[in-house]
Amino acid sequence: MSTPVLETIGLVKRFGGLLATDHVSFTLRRGARHALIGPNGAGKTTFVNQLTGVLTPTEGQIRLEGEDITHRRPEARVRLGMSRTFQINQLFRTMTPLEMLLLVLGEREGRGLHFWSRLDARADLVREAATIAERFRLDDVIDATIATLSYGKQRQLEIAAAFAARPKVLLLDEPAAGVPEAERQDLLDTVAELPEDVSVLLIEHDMDLVFRFATRITVLVNGAVIADGEPAAIAADPAVRAAYLGEGKDA
């Protein structure tokens, strides 16, 4: 079997006496469409913050394509091929989508780019930015100020910006959160159409999106993995139903 694109081994995170991540061993296969679910307070954000370098594990190891990245800085993980979106978008609201994408592309190429730079001097990046904007259904607003975009379009742009970094692993942290129903289909289609060579871990409360997208699901409860498998098996698992849906508990 090939080396996982991303894995954790016995990952532990303690905050004083609180065990937020409880010896989590997790595998993300190359090309995966994998979802991480669990009730509020399950430890999902803490786990993802360790994957991306925002938090340092108390114990355990994180590997990206077999390389130990446990103590790598967040920017080093991006350079190695890990990109992330956030529950609350991290966009520069005074920019346009074109400028935002160019900023990411310039940073990816090690050249940097400020929004006041001459775009015609970077024709290769402009063409790539336009192609990405079209892929993510942003070509009709590419020159609009980000602050004026609908929330759904802003979420699309955040995914596009993460994709522009050419990730091997893309972590989508609740991409559907706050998106109006009228814009959800575009978001669902965008996520479904991500290239197969990008391995995706989706952290999401929206079960419609999870079961439409994921071919594998991991369930986290109280910082520990209680189930991992194909969607049908997860949906039928009594422990998952009890912990996540509240079934089987005494009144």
Side-chain angles (χ1 to χ4, degrees):
M1 185 176 291
S2 63
T3 301
V5 66
L6 177 67
E7 65 178 331
T8 68
I9 303 168
L11 208 62
V12 173
K13 183 62 182 178
R14 293 189 178 90
F15 296 102
L18 174 66
L19 185 60
T21 309
D22 187 359
H23 299 87
V24 174
S25 293
F26 168 85
T27 298
L28 185 72
R29 295 292 173 190
R30 197 171 306 279
R33 296 295 183 262
H34 199 131
L36 178 68
I37 67 172
N40 290 330
K44 302 185 297 297
T45 297
T46 299
F47 178 66
V48 172
N49 282 342
Q50 290 172 88
L51 294 181
T52 56
V54 175
L55 292 174
T56 300
T58 306
E59 301 173 25
Q61 191 177 77
I62 304 167
R63 295 176 181 170
L64 181 63
E65 293 197 313
E67 180 177 348
D68 186 351
I69 63 166
T70 310
H71 300 287
R72 292 290 193 105
R73 294 179 62 84
E75 58 270 25
R77 300 182 197 213
V78 173
R79 289 194 295 270
L80 289 169
M82 182 186 294
S83 289
R84 175 190 183 177
T85 66
F86 292 82
Q87 293 179 28
I88 300 173
N89 71 52
Q90 307 288 304
L91 303 173
F92 296 107
R93 293 173 58 80
T94 59
M95 285 185 170
T96 67
L98 176 61
E99 290 165 346
M100 183 78 195
L101 292 171
L102 284 169
L103 178 64
V104 175
L105 294 175
E107 290 295 325
R108 188 195 72 196
E109 299 300 318
R111 290 187 270 176
L113 185 69
H114 298 289
F115 68 87
W116 58 85
S117 295
R118 284 179 48 125
L119 300 184
D120 57 359
R122 302 171 185 268
D124 57 330
L125 297 185
V126 173
R127 285 193 297 270
E128 185 174 355
T131 299
I132 293 171
E134 183 177 6
R135 171 188 283 275
F136 288 89
R137 298 169 171 81
L138 296 164
D139 46 321
D140 59 332
V141 295
I142 195 167
D143 293 316
T145 304
I146 290 171
T148 67
L149 301 184
S150 69
Y151 193 67
K153 288 289 189 183
Q154 290 185 29
R155 297 300 277 184
Q156 298 270 81
L157 177 56
E158 191 179 15
I159 298 172
F163 175 80
R166 287 186 185 164
K168 300 168 186 173
V169 173
L170 179 57
L171 308 176
L172 299 178
D173 195 351
E174 298 195 32
V179 176
E181 189 63 35
E183 296 184 276
R184 287 173 59 81
Q185 190 58 51
D186 271 353
L187 182 69
L188 294 173
D189 290 343
T190 294
V191 172
E193 293 165 9
L194 287 166
E196 292 183 2
D197 61 346
V198 178
S199 306
V200 182
L201 177 60
L202 174 73
I203 302 92
E204 185 56 71
H205 282 292
D206 185 326
M207 290 299 100
D208 177 55
L209 177 53
V210 167
F211 282 94
R212 287 180 58 179
F213 171 80
T215 57
R216 192 168 192 88
I217 298 173
T218 298
V219 185
L220 201 64
V221 175
N222 295 327
V225 174
I226 66 164
D228 180 272
E230 296 181 355
I234 294 298
D237 189 311
V240 173
R241 298 181 73 87
Y244 195 79
L245 302 175
E247 297 183 5
K249 294 183 178 181
D250 293 335

